[in-house]
Amino acid sequence: MRAFICFLLCFSFLSAPIHASDKAVSLDSVCSGLTEFKVTSGSFVQSRQAPGLKRPLKSSGSFVICDKGIAWKTLKPISSVLAVSRDKIIQTTPDGRKNVIDGSGNQTFKNIAETLATVFSGDRSALEKNFRVSFSSDGNSWTINLVPKDSTIASAIKAIDMAGTSGYESFIDSVSIQEKDGAYIDYSFSEQVHGNSLSNDEKAYFSVE
């Protein structure tokens, strides 16, 4: 469940387009931009450092965010696809088999899914209901710090720090998640693009058939 929370909270913030670059960057402009595009995709590199590990654990691949949820396709070190929607988790193995976890009856799942929906809606007041939010900017660069107030999230996550740059479109460049046990998960994102529809392969990530 801890890894699931990290997936949701991290990738919820990947799409943050800000138009009208002559306007000052603000938390409101970042939040309102979350609904600008139907699909955001790109590449990721994840590095996890935990107490007792001599070296970070690294993985890489691609991701896609859409109204169906979030899909994360890991290419290294092991190939797999993990798709998270509002009511289920679908994991696809390299041979095409699908394992489905139904989260509709799980209150923890519902709480996290609700947080995900809040971020996508660009509802700042709802976001601040679950987090203590700090925002700062310097020119075209900006950062957001989130400290969970919601007990479900706070049981696994101590804080989330995001950094990005603004322009005609703006994207999150990196995310650092500090877990309660002292572990850190760092993500860097690249090759991000927007679209209006999913490819056939991307649609398959969210299908249980």
Side-chain angles (χ1 to χ4, degrees):
M1 183 57 68
R2 173 173 292 169
F4 166 61
I5 293 174
C6 291
F7 295 151
L8 288 186
L9 295 181
C10 174
F11 288 103
S12 298
F13 291 92
L14 285 178
S15 173
I18 303 172
H19 294 288
S21 59
D22 57 331
K23 294 183 178 180
V25 179
S26 67
L27 178 59
D28 284 333
S29 67
V30 172
C31 288
S32 64
L34 289 170
T35 57
E36 284 288 329
F37 297 95
K38 293 182 178 180
V39 178
T40 299
S41 59
S43 300
F44 75 88
V45 175
Q46 173 192 302
S47 177
R48 186 175 191 274
Q49 181 66 61
L53 289 179
K54 293 183 177 180
R55 62 184 63 182
L57 300 176
K58 293 187 176 183
S59 60
S60 60
S62 61
F63 69 88
V64 61
I65 302 171
C66 62
D67 57 0
K68 294 179 180 294
I70 302 164
W72 135 314
K73 183 177 182 180
T74 301
L75 300 176
K76 296 180 180 180
I78 299 174
S79 176
S80 66
V81 177
L82 182 71
V84 181
S85 70
R86 292 175 183 246
D87 60 358
K88 66 177 68 72
I89 301 173
I90 305 170
Q91 185 173 30
T92 306
T93 59
D95 60 4
R97 289 183 301 169
K98 298 199 175 209
N99 301 313
V100 181
I101 300 175
D102 184 2
S104 59
N106 186 306
Q107 189 59 46
T108 299
F109 190 106
K110 288 182 178 180
N111 289 348
I112 302 302
E114 180 181 355
T115 298
L116 174 62
T118 296
V119 174
F120 274 120
S121 72
D123 188 341
R124 176 177 175 174
S125 62
L127 183 63
E128 291 177 332
K129 176 182 177 181
N130 293 323
F131 297 92
R132 292 194 296 274
V133 183
S134 299
F135 178 87
S136 63
S137 63
D138 182 8
N140 291 330
S141 300
W142 50 267
T143 61
I144 298 176
N145 172 263
L146 300 174
V147 177
K149 293 190 291 186
D150 177 86
S151 59
T152 301
I153 303 171
S155 66
I157 304 297
K158 185 175 181 180
I160 303 172
D161 289 292
M162 294 167 286
T165 52
S166 65
Y168 179 72
E169 294 180 3
S170 182
F171 299 91
I172 299 290
D173 298 322
S174 63
V175 175
S176 180
I177 301 175
Q178 182 180 357
E179 298 185 351
K180 291 290 287 186
D181 62 2
Y184 284 86
I185 303 178
D186 295 318
Y187 295 88
S188 61
F189 307 107
S190 61
E191 303 176 320
Q192 298 181 66
V193 296
H194 296 304
N196 292 316
S197 61
L198 297 174
S199 68
N200 289 334
D201 286 343
E202 290 168 343
K203 290 178 182 178
Y205 298 159
F206 298 95
S207 173
V208 297
E209 298 179 358

